Amino acid sequence: MSMKLPFLKNKQQKDLSEENDLDNIPNHVAIIMDGNGRWAKKRGLPRIAGHKEGMNVVKEIVKAARNSNVQILTLYAFSTENWKRPKSEVDFLMKLPKEFLHIYLPELMENKVRINTIGDFDALPDHTKEAIHYAKEKTKNNDGLLLNFALNYGSRFEIMRAIKQVMTDIDGSKLSIDNLDENTFSEYLYTKDLTDPDLLIRTSGEQRLSNFLLWQVAYSEFWFTDVLWPDFSEEIFKNALHDYQQRKRRYGGI
Ligand code: FPP
C-alpha cells in the first residue's frame, strides 16, 4: 500500500540561487541500475557479488543525490520479470533491502531520508516486507530526499492494475468517465504522490526501458552510460546532472 506523500508534488524547490552549478537540477531522478552480473563475471565472481557491490553504490548515489539537491531518487531494484532468475539469485536480491537498511538506516535517518517503494509489495517475501515496512514507518516524518525503491515493479502491471481500479470506481459511481483524464489516471498509479522523473539514467550500455515507468517518463530526459552499476560513482552521477542542466525541455512545444 503506498503512503500519502502530500508534500512532494507541491514541494518548493530550495533556494539554489547562491550556487550556480545547482541551477536546473532535476527534481526527480530515476535509475535503471544495470550491469551487476557482468561486473561480477568480469572478475570471475558469482553474480550475487555484483549485486552486493551494487548495494554499496546505492548508498553512494543516495549521498550524491542529497548533495545535489535532488528531491526524489527512484531506483529499479527488482522487476516483475526478475522472478525468472535462478531461485538462489532471487533469494539474494530479496535479502538485500534488509541488509541495506540494517547497515544504512541510522545514516539515512540522520540525513532525513524518507523511504518509499513502488511495485507489488504484497507479493514480496515476508522478511523483505517487514524490513521495508519498518524503514517506511521509521522514516515517515523525514523531509529530506525521498528514496523510492521500485521493488517487484512492472510498468505494464501497474497500468493494468490502474485500469482495473478505474473501471471498478466507474462501476461503483465513485468516478465519472467524463472526469477521467491524464491527471485522474495518474492518481491510480503507484507514483500518484510523486512528480514524474525529470531524468532517467541507465547504466551498462543497454538503451531500453525494460518495463520501467512507461507512463511517467513521457517527457523525461534520458541519459545512458556504458559504466556497469557497481562502477557507477558520485562523479558519474554529477556528469549526468551536468548534461541534464544543458538540455532544453520543450514538452512538445517550441
Ligand atoms: C540488474 O543487473 C540489476 C538488478 C536486477 C538488481 C539491482 C539491485 C541492486 C543494484 C542492489 C539493490 C540494493 C538495494 C538496497 C535494494 P543485472 O543483474 O541484470 O546485470 P547483468 O545485465 O550484467 O546481468
Side-chain angles (χ1 to χ4, degrees), residues 33-38 47 51 77 82 85 93 96 100 229:
M33 309 180 288
D34 196 11
N36 295 348
R38 275 163 284 168
R47 291 177 54 81
H51 296 315
N82 287 153
R85 295 184 176 208
L93 285 168
L96 277 186
F100 176 81
W229 177 253

Side-chain angles (χ1 to χ4, degrees), residues 147-170:
L147 175 56
N148 186 34
F149 287 108
L151 258 180
N152 195 19
Y153 175 86
S155 196
R156 288 184 173 181
F157 177 87
E158 176 187 38
I159 291 169
M160 286 309 303
R161 172 181 169 274
I163 290 170
K164 287 179 190 170
Q165 287 179 0
V166 164
M167 291 177 80
T168 306
D169 282 357
I170 290 174

Side-chain angles (χ1 to χ4, degrees), residues 49-248:
H51 296 315
K52 182 85 190 264
E53 189 60 26
M55 181 190 85
N56 296 325
V57 174
V58 167
K59 192 250 165 184
E60 186 180 344
I61 300 312
V62 168
K63 183 168 128 251
R66 283 197 303 102
N67 288 342
S68 304
N69 265 300
V70 168
Q71 292 181 29
I72 308 172
L73 180 66
T74 295
L75 301 176
Y76 204 6
F78 193 89
S79 77
T80 46
E81 288 73 36
N82 287 153
W83 297 106
K84 291 182 213 152
R85 295 184 176 208
K87 184 174 179 306
S88 55
E89 185 172 341
V90 169
D91 288 349
F92 187 85
L93 285 168
M94 285 298 148
K95 283 186 197 142
L96 277 186
K98 186 173 180 176
E99 184 169 349
F100 176 81
L101 293 165
H102 179 71
I103 303 172
Y104 297 122
L105 192 55
E107 195 176 324
L108 296 173
M109 279 301 290
E110 221 169 273
N111 292 307
K112 308 226 178 315
V113 174
R114 183 171 180 177
I115 306 280
N116 188 58
T117 58
I118 53 172
D120 186 7
F121 191 76
D122 293 341
L124 295 171
D126 285 345
H127 65 88
T128 314
K129 281 195 281 203
E130 281 157 19
I132 292 168
H133 181 71
Y134 176 78
K136 282 182 182 174
E137 275 298 306
K138 185 110 180 135
T139 62
K140 70 180 178 194
N141 294 320
N142 289 349
D143 62 0
L145 175 81
L146 183 87
L147 175 56
N148 186 34
F149 287 108
L151 258 180
N152 195 19
Y153 175 86
S155 196
R156 288 184 173 181
F157 177 87
E158 176 187 38
I159 291 169
M160 286 309 303
R161 172 181 169 274
I163 290 170
K164 287 179 190 170
Q165 287 179 0
V166 164
M167 291 177 80
T168 306
D169 282 357
I170 290 174
D171 253 11
S173 302
K174 284 193 199 147
L175 175 69
S176 144
I177 200 155
D178 297 329
N179 292 333
L180 182 60
D181 57 16
E182 290 179 15
N183 286 334
T184 318
F185 188 73
S186 297
E187 291 294 311
Y188 286 82
L189 298 173
Y190 291 126
T191 49
K192 66 189 169 70
D193 299 310
L194 311 181
T195 54
D196 288 339
D198 301 289
L199 173 65
L200 175 94
I201 296 173
R202 182 169 188 151
T203 60
S204 92
E206 310 295 351
Q207 301 195 357
R208 53 176 173 262
L209 282 175
S210 301
N211 204 12
F212 189 46
L213 301 173
L214 302 180
W215 172 278
Q216 296 86 343
V217 298
Y219 282 103
S220 305
E221 296 292 325
F222 289 7
W223 194 87
F224 299 105
T225 173
D226 287 342
V227 171
L228 305 174
W229 177 253
D231 291 327
F232 199 72
S233 63
E234 173 153 17
E235 191 188 347
I236 305 169
F237 182 76
K238 288 196 169 156
N239 287 345
L241 297 193
H242 182 74
D243 276 5
Y244 173 88
Q245 287 173 301
Q246 317 308 314
R247 299 202 188 169
K248 298 273 172 284

